[in-house]
Amino acid sequence: MGFQTNRTTIYIAAAIVLIVIIAAAVYIATRQAPETVETETGTAAETTPATKTEAEAVELKPLTGNVREDIVNIARFLSANGVTEAKYRVHGSGDPNSIMRVYGIVEAAARLNKILEDEGVNFKIVIEDIKFSANADEPAKVFQQSFPLKQEADIIAVSYRWISTFAKEGYLLDITDYANAYMGTELEDYYDSLWSSVTYKGRIYALPQDTEARPLYILKPVMECLGYDAWDIAKKIDSGEYTWKDVMRIAKEAVDNGCSEWGVIHRKGSAHPDLVQFYYAFGGEFTGSNPDKLYLNLEALYKWLAVEYALARNGLTPENMLEWDWAKQIHPTIVSAKTAFDIGGTWYWTEWQTKKYYTDPQTGEQRGLTPEEVKERFAYSLFPAGEPGKKPVTLSQPFVWMISANAGKLNPKYDDLKEAYHRIAFLLILKANDPDLVAIHSIVSAHIPIREKAAQLMDDQQFVNKLAQGNLDMFISDEARQAFVDIAKKTAHPINIEFLKSVTYMLEYTHIPPLHPSYQPLAEFFKDAVDFVLKGQMTPEEATNYVVQKIQADPELAETIEIVGSIPTGWEISP
Amino acid sequence: MRLDRLFTLAFFLGPALLIVITFFFLPLLLTVYTSFTNMRNWNVDAYLFDIVGLYNYKVLIHFAKYDPMFRNALITTVVFVAVTLVVNVLGGLTLAILTFFLEERISIHYRLLWLLPRMTPVAVYSLLWYYFFHSDAIGTLNRILLLAGVIEKPINWGSYMLPLGTWSILIFVNGLVGVSFGMIVFYSAIRSIPWEYFAAARVDGASNLTIVRRIIVPMIRWHLLFVTVWQMLSLLTTYTHIFLLYEWGVVDRTWGQTWSLLVFNLAFLPVGELRQGLAAAAATVLVVIGAILGLITLRILGFQRMITKPRGDI
């Protein structure tokens, strides 16, 4: 009896499993069907009947390099095919002042629509969903997970470093041909060094959105306390006369003499990108003769870790630096001059003005610094050379506009008309980089402009005054204008513009870590290694070997990363 | 008669079976399948049928051989599961017994208090401990000890006497959440023991300890079995609190990772390449280990005897 019951149960279970599997199979098989129906009939309200002759009459011509001609041609082509509206979604990220990474597209759509209106074309571009995340990698992570489900944003603004992974998987639109059409016109004045950040295996997958440098901030009050001239130190660092050994010496003097609590403060949470400057400053490179490989120079890595180790052992940098809180510890320590040096970024300059990191000693009020106070407080230089004979450096990791390989997928007749939809997406990111928009973004967020025309505009006093007064009549989109009024009033200050101009020279010294899928895991190992040496859990040699061990423990990394050089014997650094 | 029986079985077993199949069996099958593919970066279209055989398992073995963090994760998992399990089961039992001997109106508040960690959202609860164990003077524990003059400078608890500091934090935080489960099950089990047993024991002059040893523990042994197995399996797979403590730097990076967090990190976290095939292989290993451990525990604690029908020999 018991046996029978068991068998019966098994039969029932088997039957149910079968039903579930069949149901799942039927569901998956029929999933595509509604989409096809939607594509054919979808958004009926937006489509107008078009005769075949009309559609044939307007052909999609090759891009000319003239935005007006191109958008009119694309719009007429779509209109002739019965489509009068194209929808796109955009997702950007960054510090609170960098909202151009979404509103740039909103404004670009408005500018393209204005052209179409002027030309009497019955077509409109709609940016139907904009999303801005504080976490810089958020749009990329969301994009990565939602692409296979066809739920991703059409345009994202994220760090260039995602390009290799996304391009490899076929998630990004290859815009090489589109960009080539505009190389002689709109893209002519882009800084040359930036093209490497959007090119993967010879193809262009994005347009630069902004870039930055990472200065070493030198606290003037601390240097005054020591009897030094901060700008003199900055000059000596820039010329290569002062190296990290000198910076450590001055930092130690500051701490020993009670002029500051700490010697050198830097970022938390990761080694990339700020701390990777150490690697470059000691002559390390990630590229070599084989373009498919990533190179790791052990000597440069060891020397970097030796500096961090010495900083923490001498009480100049907190042992738990990588765990510090940005808003409660890192920025308040810097703006209150409790450190002699800070390894930071250009955007700190305006962040210190808009965020309330500073506690006023007189009133006890927490507030942002004024532009004048920031100027009084900070001198800045390149990231110092690692040792005599090496060069000072900086590091940029441009933000870029990427377009999904499925861009425009929400629109009618996508399969037939996707080339036109892709071109519109490209023109959107192209227009989002109009010189005035790039200049505004650079000024309000303290990033370095990606093109010369924007840099020139920052010299235009009339333009800057308008911004400072909150007069943003250059914007066509009310939504975009409203988003910038307050930020512009706060940050469009001559001091900030002067700062930006004065750091642009740093781009000549910049390094852009390579677009290689193995770079990110390697940067994670760097983070662990830095954490270990800061805490004294490992010596620089042990931490260097740890990185090597981690690479060798992963067969895929071991194959793609080539280790060169060796740990130097007898090399030491101390303040 | 046979059809009737079939219908009855289907009626009663069907819904539960459907749920088990949909939410456990099919995902498990998918995970095992994925572990044999080259699935990465969520690119289902490209890798769903890209079968790579045992490649992912070989990579795992390679990791286990050469990656020190990987070995640490294994050791941490064993220590974490074993110690937290003891804390959860014995702690839950102790709390249940204590509250049983308390007056009901006091006991109910006391039990409610212990449920707080379970009722608090994971992020909030973890944030609380982030600030409590923070390595600087802004940390509550450091603050208290500094003010009391016990320590002179803040202690980095996560790195303290490695790996003990990190393990203690992990066990403490998860243990506090876990004890309430045992407490509730045991308390209700004890309450269901006929009152006459206790009355008779008292008349015979039994002490509280004797009552616990001779009546309570033997009478709730099946509940003890259930809670032990259940908690062991959930500890083996839990990672939410650990993830936050790890990410926020409360616990040490070398010793603060358990196997389940490792699976999560492989599949979701890294910037750039995400390796779901590899993560699925690690998850499959975890399921196998969980199943083996579960079976062993059931055997040791005599699960077979629990499910045999009573012989009725009164």
Side-chain angles (χ1 to χ4, degrees), chain A residues 8 17 144-145 148 162 168-169 171 320 323-324 328-329 520 528 532 537 546 550 552-554 556, chain B residues 6 21 40-43 47 55 62 67 69 131 135-136 162 249 252-254 271-275:
Chain A
T8 319
V17 171
Q144 191 171 28
Q145 289 174 19
W162 290 87
K168 193 177 132 231
E169 299 298 346
Y171 289 0
N320 60 347
E323 288 151 32
W324 269 34
K328 285 185 177 170
Q329 293 177 287
Q520 292 309 326
D528 289 339
F532 296 149
Q537 282 171 243
Y546 163 84
K550 288 291 283 187
Q552 286 168 349
D554 186 334
E556 290 183 15
Chain B
L6 257 174
I21 289 166
R40 52 186 69 213
N41 299 319
W42 301 111
N43 198 345
Y47 301 114
Y55 172 76
H62 197 81
D67 188 339
M69 299 269 258
Y131 281 117
S135 52
D136 262 310
L162 265 181
D252 180 70
R253 293 190 71 81
T254 40
V271 179
E273 193 92 347
L274 298 177
R275 291 147 86 171

Side-chain angles (χ1 to χ4, degrees), chain A residues 1-2 5, chain B residues 5 303-313:
Chain A
M1 180 65 189
T5 312
Chain B
R5 197 175 166 75
F303 179 69
Q304 204 61 39
R305 268 187 294 145
M306 185 179 88
I307 56 165
T308 48
K309 283 184 182 170
R311 280 169 300 177
D313 49 357

Side-chain angles (χ1 to χ4, degrees), chain A residues 276 279-280 284-288 293-296 513-514 519 522 526:
Chain A
V276 173
Y279 179 78
Y280 285 119
E285 286 293 342
F286 291 109
T287 48
K293 289 227 172 190
L294 192 69
Y295 290 78
L296 174 66
Y519 175 74
L522 187 63
F526 289 162

Side-chain angles (χ1 to χ4, degrees), chain A residues 121 144 157 242 248 318 359 436 458 465 483 539 564-565:
Chain A
V121 185
Q144 191 171 28
Y242 273 8
M248 282 167 82
T359 308
D436 57 337
M458 285 159 64
N465 287 343
T539 62
V564 293

